[in-house]
Amino acid sequence: MKLTVIGCGQCGGRIADQFALLGKSTHVQRGIEAVTNVLAVNSDIADLSGLSHIKSDYQHRILIGGQKTGGHGVGKINELGAELAREDGDKLIESISATQRFFETDAFLVIAGAAGGTGSGALPVLTQLLKERYMHKPVYNLIALPFRYEEMTEERSIYNVGTCLKSAYLVADAVFLVDNQRYIEKNISIRNNLAKINYLIVKPFYNLLCAGEEIDSKYIGSRVLDAGDIIQTLVGWTVIGYGEVKIPRIRLLGEDKLHFRKKVTETQKGVQAMDKAIGELSLKCDASDARRALYLLTAPSQEMNMDLIKELSASLKSIATQAIIRSGDYPREKGLLSVSVVLSDLINSRKVIEYFTKTISYISITKRRRGQIEYEHRGIEEAFKDIPSLL
Ligand SMILES: Nc1nc2c(ncn2[C@@H]2O[C@H](COP(=O)(O)OP(=O)(O)OP(=O)(O)O)[C@@H](O)[C@H]2O)c(=O)[nH]1
Ligand SMILES: [Mg+2]
């Protein structure tokens, strides 16, 4: 599957930057083009300058609202982020139209952090613009949910998340939910941590995008998972996970390929990788809420066998009981057996519903507060009304 990736705001830009690196790696390591183009959109010049892998010209790093914000961001007001995206969205469309081999793109992926201003506001507006302009290509969103400490210390974050999630759900073909809190690791500085988190967010996409674009016949699986399978799977709220297990590169002398012990170990390793992928989903959720799911098994061809694939399907079906499951095998990698899992069309995300409830209570609290402030102001005006003004 080939993606055109668009990162909005600082978070979106950085994760998109990681996709640009993924595109370079698939090209260099495998001769596969999995990413057609990567662009970053921001109202903040400094954030755009901080990217590493996205091409540095103005067509790939697109500044919006330069006149209104002076290139300094929108300070968490996502309505302003949305407004700037509406005003300057044509810059993005122009850049996309100029993409070499754009016609090869299977889908768009628009990325942002939900709690900020620019990305949170621009993501749904740009998604809508892309949907109107490129009617036949699906547009997916990937939304990073804030860390717990942000929700506690910055009240406005909740409102941004609530409005961003609702708007994205209404307009995108599917929304990948990524919970930053799940990736936190102790003892690493926040900056390093964000880079590590972004790496982990993008990793599950690597084989998933490559499998259907493989050109070398020796790496083509018995059941290829291609763009069609992925597009059929992605609907509504979606999560993604990845798990891997190391396997010895050198077989012991006398270890027969057909030996039953080897087969049992392979199956165990496969199920172990699947369990890890489910345990590391981008957002904690109940797999039985998924109406669609897919998994891709990637392993050296000598490690693949039908029993393993059957076992993995059964293992996923036992938890995603209501889902139509699509699957594929990809005979790549060395010394590694990995599984990427997608659960989609989730009918009930507890975390998302919690955000909506909290947003509604934030709105009513701020309304009450505003009323109080207006009342107090009126008091002042009343007190000085008989004093002449010098203005
Ligand atoms: N995973 C991940 N999350 C990030 C990263 N940077 C920021 N975030 C998250 O995204 C949220 C939005 O922040 P930003 O992307 O900086 O905000 P912005 O879209 O640039 O908006 P403004 O700066 O307010 O104009 C933050 O609250 C973080 O939770 C990142 O590099 N990776
Ligand atoms: Mg910013």
Side-chain angles (χ1 to χ4, degrees):
M1 182 179 213
K2 288 185 166 68
L3 289 180
T4 289
V5 179
I6 297 143
C8 310
Q10 182 164 36
C11 169
R14 287 198 195 131
I15 298 175
D17 212 33
Q18 193 68 42
F19 270 100
L21 180 61
L22 178 149
K24 284 182 191 167
S25 311
T26 63
H27 175 78
V28 172
Q29 293 169 0
R30 299 180 172 178
I32 292 174
E33 308 305 328
V35 178
T36 325
N37 199 358
V38 184
L39 306 129
V41 178
N42 209 327
S43 59
D44 192 317
I45 295 181
D47 288 356
L48 286 174
S49 311
L51 302 168
S52 310
H53 304 287
I54 296 176
K55 289 188 189 138
S56 57
D57 56 76
Y58 70 95
Q59 283 183 312
H60 289 84
R61 300 187 188 186
I62 301 166
L63 183 69
I64 55 168
Q67 302 223 317
K68 272 194 182 157
T69 71
H72 295 306
V74 301
K76 282 207 158 248
I77 308 298
N78 69 350
E79 289 95 337
L80 189 51
E83 189 184 312
L84 300 183
R86 256 189 300 275
E87 287 171 7
D88 280 349
D90 49 347
K91 288 189 184 176
L92 174 69
I93 301 295
E94 271 169 37
S95 287
I96 290 172
S97 319
T99 304
Q100 271 185 355
R101 305 171 79 89
F102 169 68
F103 60 92
E104 290 184 355
T105 290
D106 295 300
F108 292 99
L109 182 64
V110 188
I111 309 173
T118 304
S120 172
L123 169 133
V125 171
L126 296 180
T127 300
Q128 189 170 43
L129 200 62
L130 292 169
K131 284 213 64 80
E132 286 166 1
R133 183 69 177 71
Y134 305 102
M135 277 174 328
H136 302 295
K137 292 194 195 289
V139 185
Y140 303 122
N141 287 170
L142 189 150
I143 299 183
L145 302 172
F147 298 100
R148 201 173 298 129
Y149 78 85
E150 293 177 287
E151 289 177 27
M152 320 246 262
T153 53
E154 299 159 31
E155 277 187 324
R156 170 81 198 193
S157 299
I158 295 289
Y159 177 84
N160 288 348
V161 176
T163 48
C164 176
L165 286 177
K166 173 184 173 174
S167 317
Y169 184 75
L170 290 177
V171 70
D173 289 284
V175 182
F176 285 95
L177 296 167
V178 169
D179 186 3
N180 270 339
Q181 186 65 29
R182 268 177 79 78
Y183 297 84
I184 287 197
E185 283 178 14
K186 287 182 190 137
N187 305 327
I188 309 176
S189 77
I190 266 288
R191 206 189 136 67
N192 285 340
N193 220 340
L194 280 176
K196 179 102 193 280
I197 291 172
N198 295 344
Y199 167 79
L200 293 172
I201 291 171
V202 172
K203 188 157 195 202
F205 287 90
Y206 191 86
N207 288 323
L208 214 52
L209 296 179
C210 283
E213 302 302 321
E214 188 58 68
I215 29 185
D216 190 334
S217 61
K218 71 173 179 289
Y219 299 125
I220 297 199
S222 57
R223 170 75 191 87
V224 177
L225 190 87
D226 59 18
D229 297 299
I230 299 174
I231 290 169
Q232 285 306 319
T233 302
L234 297 180
V235 176
W237 305 123
T238 301
V239 295
I240 186 163
Y242 174 85
E244 64 182 34
V245 177
K246 288 201 165 60
I247 42 179
R249 280 181 185 225
I250 303 157
R251 294 252 162 253
L252 295 174
L253 209 63
E255 205 179 10
D256 191 325
K257 198 178 168 187
L258 299 174
H259 197 281
F260 79 95
R261 266 182 198 284
K262 179 175 174 284
K263 210 164 175 177
V264 169
T265 329
E266 277 165 2
T267 312
Q268 279 170 349
K269 293 224 156 122
V271 173
Q272 214 178 323
M274 171 70 86
D275 285 349
K276 273 194 185 174
I278 294 287
E280 283 169 25
L281 286 172
S282 53
L283 172 80
K284 211 172 177 181
C285 69
D286 188 344
S288 65
D289 285 339
R291 293 294 173 265
R292 298 162 197 243
L294 67 77
Y295 75 85
L296 175 71
L297 166 69
T298 308
S301 59
Q302 68 273 18
E303 305 293 329
M304 301 270 195
N305 64 65
M306 280 322 289
D307 284 351
L308 174 55
I309 292 166
K310 247 196 266 168
E311 194 69 36
L312 286 185
S313 292
S315 160
L316 187 55
K317 189 71 193 169
S318 71
I319 51 164
T321 46
Q322 307 296 313
I324 300 170
I325 296 176
R326 293 179 170 81
S327 65
D329 60 301
Y330 185 25
R332 266 278 187 183
E333 305 275 25
K334 288 190 183 94
L336 207 64
L337 185 152
S338 74
V339 172
S340 293
V341 177
V342 173
L343 300 181
S344 194
D345 205 0
L346 291 161
I347 49 153
N348 172 29
S349 169
R350 194 177 49 79
K351 183 94 178 170
V352 169
I353 291 170
E354 259 174 40
Y355 276 121
F356 291 147
T357 315
K358 285 195 248 174
T359 305
I360 288 167
S361 91
Y362 171 84
I363 292 170
S364 72
I365 290 169
T366 39
K367 232 187 233 162
R368 238 180 294 144
R369 252 188 234 154
R370 209 175 303 137
Q372 180 68 23
I373 290 169
E374 270 169 29
Y375 175 79
E376 283 162 6
H377 275 301
R378 248 181 281 137
I380 294 278
E381 281 163 23
E382 185 60 31
F384 67 36
K385 79 173 191 309
D386 293 329
I387 299 174
S389 161
L390 300 173
L391 303 173

